[in-house]
């Protein structure tokens, strides 16, 4: 069990971690946020800080074509989050909600997901706006908002 204190009404379980598969990180995320309290509750794609997705060298060729997209989904591993709460009190106001009904980083598999604005590709890094994670967070995956091989809805922003 994690060492963080429980808020009134929260419930933790004995969450022994079992390994079924391996996850491969593709890089790391650089943000200005060094503590969880500094992270915004949801990223701001218009006014949030510019962040960098630093891609490991052997995965950098996979960035080809990404610069054409204005938005992408970033999946990341919330490596400092506790993993044992089933009931949480997110606002510390006594209301308790199930973990799967929240976007809290505290979950059995602490996978974060943010829709970000893609500002550009800079060598082996992607400049984005709209993240809400700690500096140094491991990067799991990066996917454009829409695949170029699917039918896009009309007025979908794709750069020429």
């Amino acid at each position: 069990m994690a060492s963080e204190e429980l808020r009134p009404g929260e419930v933790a379980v004995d969450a022994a971690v079992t390994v079924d598969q391996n996850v491969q990180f593709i890089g790391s995320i650089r943000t200005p946020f060094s503590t969880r309290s500094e992270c915004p509750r949801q990223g701001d794609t218009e006014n949030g800080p510019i962040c960098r997705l630093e891609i490991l060298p052997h995965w950098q060729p996979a960035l080809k074509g990404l610069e054409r997209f204005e938005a992408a989904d970033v999946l990341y591993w919330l490596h400092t989050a506790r993993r044992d709460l089933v009931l949480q009190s997110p606002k510390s106001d006594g209301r308790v909600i199930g973990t799967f009904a929240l976007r809290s980083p505290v979950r059995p598999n602490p996978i974060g997901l943010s829709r970000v604005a893609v500002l550009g590709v800079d060598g082996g890094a992607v400049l984005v706006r709209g993240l809400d994670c700690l500096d140094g967070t491991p990067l799991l995956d990066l996917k454009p908002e829409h695949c170029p091989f699917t039918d896009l809805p009309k007025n979908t922003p794709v750069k020429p």
Side-chain angles (χ1 to χ4, degrees):
M1 182 155 129
S3 62
E4 292 180 37
E5 298 269 335
L6 292 177
R7 296 173 183 156
E10 290 186 332
V11 174
V13 296
D14 182 13
V17 177
T18 59
V19 178
D20 295 325
Q21 298 292 320
N22 292 322
V23 173
Q24 187 171 173
F25 299 136
I26 63 167
S28 62
I29 300 173
R30 308 307 306 192
T31 73
F33 313 120
S34 58
T35 66
R36 185 173 166 197
S37 63
E38 294 174 348
C39 292
R41 283 201 180 259
Q42 299 289 324
D44 183 347
T45 58
E46 292 184 24
N47 300 308
I50 295 174
C51 301
R52 291 175 62 89
L53 308 176
E54 296 181 344
I55 309 300
L56 292 170
H58 58 281
W59 291 114
Q60 290 175 6
L63 294 173
K64 183 178 180 177
L66 182 66
E67 69 281 351
R68 293 184 48 232
F69 294 90
E70 292 185 359
D73 293 324
V74 177
L75 287 90
Y76 41 96
W77 188 257
L78 300 163
H79 59 296
T80 63
R82 63 185 299 161
R83 301 175 71 171
D84 61 343
L85 293 186
V86 292
L87 295 177
Q88 300 182 40
S89 180
K91 294 186 178 183
S92 297
D93 62 2
R95 288 188 16 200
V96 177
I97 301 169
T99 292
F100 300 141
L102 295 168
R103 290 187 59 89
S104 165
V106 178
R107 37 199 343 100
N109 292 301
I111 297 171
L113 169 66
S114 289
R115 169 87 27 104
V116 299
V118 176
L119 305 177
V121 177
D122 180 23
V126 182
L127 303 176
V128 300
R129 195 182 301 268
L131 284 171
D132 59 356
C133 61
L134 296 175
D135 186 49
T137 295
L139 180 61
L140 286 171
D141 210 342
L142 172 63
K143 297 181 179 189
E145 181 179 17
H146 297 284
C147 177
F149 302 106
T150 58
D151 292 329
L152 296 176
K154 290 183 180 180
N155 301 322
T156 299
V158 176
K159 297 175 189 173

